[in-house]
Amino acid sequence: MAFGKAKKVRFKQKGQFASMERKQAAQRKSSHGRLVNQTLKLGKHIKTEKVAVIAWQKNWGKSISFKSPSSFQSELVRKAENAGGTVLSGLVESRIPGLSEQISKAKFVQSGKCQAAC
């Protein structure tokens, strides 16, 4: 069975594309592994905020799939449990101001500058 020249070119391009995707996936997995190990050096018990990956996909489309945050989080949970630690997801509220913001607001109120603003 003989293929036309255009079909041969398409098959060759498809193979190159698959090879590129495979290399990117391997690079991403390696990068996630390094980052997970660096995170676990800081502590075995980790609290994370609740992340809606689907909402990220709506905002950033396919580019978020190249980062693969779910893969990173599942690897973090797996390695933390193997090390005797835990990953508690959804405990940190992302809408509540951070500690530094709360401290600066408290200092502002204590200084007496907050009369009409607060």
Side-chain angles (χ1 to χ4, degrees), residues 19-35 66-67 75:
S19 176
M20 182 184 66
E21 289 284 323
R22 182 180 41 78
K23 288 176 185 178
Q24 285 179 345
Q27 176 65 30
R28 183 170 45 248
K29 188 173 181 181
S30 172
S31 171
H32 283 177
R34 277 195 306 273
L35 191 57
F66 297 134
K67 309 296 187 251
E75 189 170 350

Side-chain angles (χ1 to χ4, degrees), residues 21-115:
E21 289 284 323
R22 182 180 41 78
K23 288 176 185 178
Q24 285 179 345
Q27 176 65 30
R28 183 170 45 248
K29 188 173 181 181
S30 172
S31 171
H32 283 177
R34 277 195 306 273
L35 191 57
V36 165
N37 290 337
Q38 289 174 355
T39 304
L40 290 175
K41 283 181 185 177
L42 301 174
K44 294 189 296 186
H45 303 286
I46 300 167
K47 295 179 184 177
T48 63
E49 67 182 42
K50 187 175 182 182
V51 177
V53 178
I54 293 174
W56 286 357
Q57 287 175 342
K58 287 180 183 176
N59 289 332
W60 292 291
K62 257 194 161 171
S63 65
I64 197 66
S65 69
F66 297 134
K67 309 296 187 251
S68 186
S70 299
S71 163
F72 172 78
Q73 194 161 16
S74 63
E75 189 170 350
L76 180 65
V77 169
R78 183 182 61 81
K79 284 191 173 187
E81 288 175 353
N82 285 342
T86 56
V87 176
L88 302 173
S89 182
L91 292 181
V92 178
E93 286 291 328
S94 59
R95 296 176 192 246
I96 295 175
L99 183 60
S100 60
E101 293 175 32
Q102 292 173 2
I103 291 172
S104 64
K105 186 174 181 181
K107 286 181 182 179
F108 184 70
V109 171
Q110 288 174 353
S111 68
K113 296 178 183 175
C114 180
Q115 294 181 6

